[in-house]
Amino acid sequence: MSCSIIEPNDHVEVGPPVPSTRRTGNDTFAELTTIATGGRVGEFVRATREEEIVDAVRDADENGIAVLVLGGGSNLLVSDEGFPGRVVVDTRNSIDQIHISGCGGAILRGTAGTPWDEFVNVAISHGWNGIEALSGIPGSLGASPVQNVGAYGQEIADTLYSVRVYDRQTKKRTDLAPAELGLSYRSSKLKESTREWGATGRWVVLSVTYQLGLATHSTPIAYGQLAAALGVDVGARVPSVRLREAVLDLRRSKGMVLDDADRDTYSLGSFFTNPIVSESELPEGAPRYPYGDMMKTSAAWLIDNAGCRKGFGADLTDGRASLSTKHTLAITNRREATTADVLTVARRVRAAVAETFGITLVNEPFLLGETL
């Protein structure tokens, strides 16, 4: 069988070269993160070229300056004391079509600063599938492999082709294949390296390449709630545009699509990951999904059944922070909350689940200058 080659366009400009942040400004992390909390930034670098990013990080390392390469700020909780080091924001926002063929699909490379949802939208509009269920997730393209982002039955590991990085240890740029990234549930070697290297790990993501299918219909729907919203069975395929609309509606119903008028969206998305435990550790009635030799269960179910309902925690912070009024997995900034307020709610929720079920929840966002 021969494979037809579809001549790709050389370059797709996605939008203006600005970071995906809630508000403009460069003085505090409250202006640079979706939860709108956090103290002052020590030094701010807004990079427009790859060379600027590499130079800023290399110079910081050589001069003993702590460095944070910031994406969309949707997965970062910074202490109220702030970060005295150098914050580098990648403002590049574009996609290159590397290769498109009838057999190999579409191989697309996007700059790390490209907003993730814009990348998804471009893929769907061009008839490429594999990431449509990841619509509406805030943050940047560069952050997607760090967390192995996933939702509604799809995750980054399904379609990731390679990641272009600057290696702070070797001081060289290189391309990493998925097998080299140690991708696991909401984690990777990129994320794990922050334990040794600090706010930004050993590898600074410069661009990300995905390999997508050539199809205007979605991949088989793997998530029951999404299938129900679409009125189809699990395993069905629907037009990707229709699936995107359904995902966005579901995310909006949970306050998971950024909206300045909706305080439930002033959050970091899911604050806790779904626990992976042995079947014997699962509480009676808890959701259970096979995950290798273990079982994955619902953090939201555990939180709710530990007595922490929607809106929980407002009394602990004088109404400044609480669980979302739409979804128990998100902790929200209700009005001028501090990071300390957010952590007060998080710690109380975590303690309630541990006391009730003996399961310790793990935070999904990166905590800078703080711990649970």
Side-chain angles (χ1 to χ4, degrees):
M1 181 183 72
S2 62
C3 296
S4 61
I5 301 297
I6 303 171
E7 289 298 327
N9 296 321
D10 291 332
H11 189 72
V12 177
E13 283 295 336
V14 179
V18 294
S20 179
T21 51
R22 179 174 295 280
R23 294 189 293 272
T24 59
N26 57 13
D27 292 328
T28 72
F29 284 96
E31 298 169 316
L32 296 167
T33 60
T34 55
I35 199 165
T37 71
R40 295 187 66 83
V41 173
E43 179 189 357
F44 194 84
V45 176
R46 191 180 293 271
T48 59
R49 296 181 297 110
E50 181 177 297
E51 203 64 39
E52 291 177 332
I53 299 168
V54 173
D55 287 347
V57 173
R58 182 189 292 120
D59 176 75
D61 288 342
E62 291 175 352
N63 289 283
I65 302 170
V67 64
L68 168 67
V69 179
L70 181 66
S74 62
N75 202 53
L76 177 69
L77 184 67
V78 184
S79 74
D80 293 315
E81 286 69 39
F83 177 69
R86 177 177 296 168
V87 174
V88 182
V89 173
D90 182 353
T91 68
R92 299 171 302 149
N93 186 358
S94 63
I95 300 167
D96 291 309
Q97 300 174 26
I98 305 303
H99 181 77
I100 302 177
S101 77
C103 289
I107 300 177
L108 314 171
R109 179 179 61 217
T111 53
T114 302
W116 169 255
D117 192 54
E118 292 186 13
F119 184 78
V120 175
N121 192 39
V122 165
I124 292 173
S125 66
H126 282 73
W128 306 323
N129 76 355
I131 55 175
E132 56 279 352
L134 304 179
S135 293
I137 295 175
S140 65
L141 182 63
S144 59
V146 177
Q147 286 283 110
N148 186 20
V149 169
Y152 298 112
Q154 287 182 347
E155 65 179 12
I156 294 307
D158 300 334
T159 51
L160 186 65
Y161 187 84
S162 67
V163 181
R164 180 73 170 170
V165 298
Y166 169 66
D167 187 337
R168 298 171 66 190
Q169 180 168 294
T170 65
K171 301 185 186 300
K172 295 179 180 179
R173 279 169 265 196
T174 188
D175 293 290
L176 299 177
E180 299 175 274
L181 294 171
L183 298 170
S184 59
Y185 175 62
R186 301 302 171 266
S187 190
S188 68
K189 288 183 178 179
L190 302 172
K191 179 180 179 179
E192 292 168 1
S193 69
T194 59
R195 297 172 186 169
E196 177 184 354
W197 287 81
T200 289
R202 170 181 166 180
W203 298 278
V204 176
V205 178
L206 301 171
S207 62
V208 187
T209 304
Y210 284 90
Q211 184 170 19
L212 306 177
L214 302 184
T216 57
H217 276 59
S218 68
T219 59
I221 298 169
Y223 196 81
Q225 184 184 30
L226 180 56
L230 287 161
V232 300
D233 295 329
V234 171
R237 301 173 72 227
V238 300
S240 294
V241 171
R242 182 183 168 203
L243 187 139
R244 173 175 168 79
E245 291 171 351
V247 167
L248 291 175
D249 285 344
L250 282 172
R251 292 185 64 84
R252 287 190 191 98
S253 72
K254 300 175 182 180
M256 296 293 189
V257 175
L258 297 182
D259 178 355
D260 284 341
D262 183 357
R263 295 305 298 195
D264 276 322
T265 73
Y266 282 65
S267 77
L268 297 171
S270 299
F271 197 90
F272 297 105
T273 59
N274 289 324
I276 298 173
V277 298
S278 64
E279 188 162 14
S280 63
E281 295 177 90
L282 281 174
E284 183 178 352
R288 55 197 65 210
Y289 310 98
Y291 196 89
D293 295 331
M294 307 287 278
M295 286 286 178
K296 182 166 67 174
T297 191
S298 165
W301 185 95
L302 295 173
I303 292 168
D304 194 53
N305 284 273
C308 302
R309 312 296 186 192
K310 297 171 185 176
F312 173 85
D315 59 325
L316 304 174
T317 63
D318 292 327
R320 292 185 298 272
S322 74
L323 290 184
S324 169
T325 65
K326 299 181 179 72
H327 196 268
T328 57
L329 261 186
I331 300 175
T332 59
N333 179 349
R334 310 309 301 181
R335 56 173 182 83
E336 298 181 354
T338 63
T339 293
D341 291 328
V342 173
L343 290 173
T344 293
V345 178
R347 288 169 181 145
R348 186 63 66 89
V349 168
R350 191 171 185 250
V353 170
E355 291 166 5
T356 306
F357 300 114
I359 295 175
T360 301
L361 295 178
V362 176
N363 53 287
E364 183 168 327
F366 182 78
L367 308 185
L368 181 56
E370 294 283 2
T371 67
L372 282 181

